[in-house]
Amino acid sequence: SRHVYSRAASILSPHFQPWLVVMATRLAAPLALAWAASASPLEVSMPAVASPLQAIEVPTLAPIELPKPPPLYDCNVLYDQRETAWTQPWKDWCCENEQRGCDSTAATPSKAG
């Protein structure tokens, strides 16, 4: 019995530990495969996979309403000095879009020009 104890102690010594790790690693995979193979098909659950011909419903997205862009010009800025402060495109835009700053003697500018 003393011989059996000394043999067990020598296997657990640091000298044999790498050998034990290698043997345990080599035995673990075959034992796991044997255990998995012994399981009945009802015990092994397979993930649900869509077949290639199965239609997948794609949700339709609701339309996104974009915010209104800011006006090209602010027709309130320097309104009292519009004759000298506003550029001609600024004057034309304010007259066409906000009916502000229109020259009273000229007709409303056309968008074609």
Side-chain angles (χ1 to χ4, degrees):
S1 107
R2 180 180 159 92
H3 178 66
V4 172
Y5 174 75
S6 66
R7 180 79 172 144
S10 66
I11 289 176
L12 297 177
S13 73
H15 177 70
F16 284 105
Q17 284 178 357
W19 177 82
L20 285 173
V21 170
V22 169
M23 293 308 294
T25 305
R26 288 185 183 170
L27 288 174
L31 287 175
L33 289 174
W35 174 80
S38 68
S40 70
L42 296 177
E43 294 175 12
V44 179
S45 64
M46 297 298 291
V49 178
S51 68
L53 299 177
Q54 182 178 357
I56 299 174
E57 184 178 339
V58 178
T60 56
L61 300 176
I64 298 173
E65 199 162 317
L66 298 175
K68 183 179 176 184
L72 191 56
Y73 297 101
D74 186 349
C75 300
N76 297 315
V77 171
L78 299 171
Y79 183 77
D80 293 335
Q81 294 87 23
R82 67 187 176 277
E83 292 300 321
T84 56
W86 289 7
T87 61
Q88 190 59 46
W90 189 349
K91 292 175 188 176
D92 294 344
W93 189 90
C94 286
C95 182
E96 288 177 19
N97 295 285
E98 294 190 16
Q99 292 72 44
R100 290 199 55 142
C102 297
D103 192 3
S104 60
T105 59
T108 304
S110 67
K111 291 186 180 185

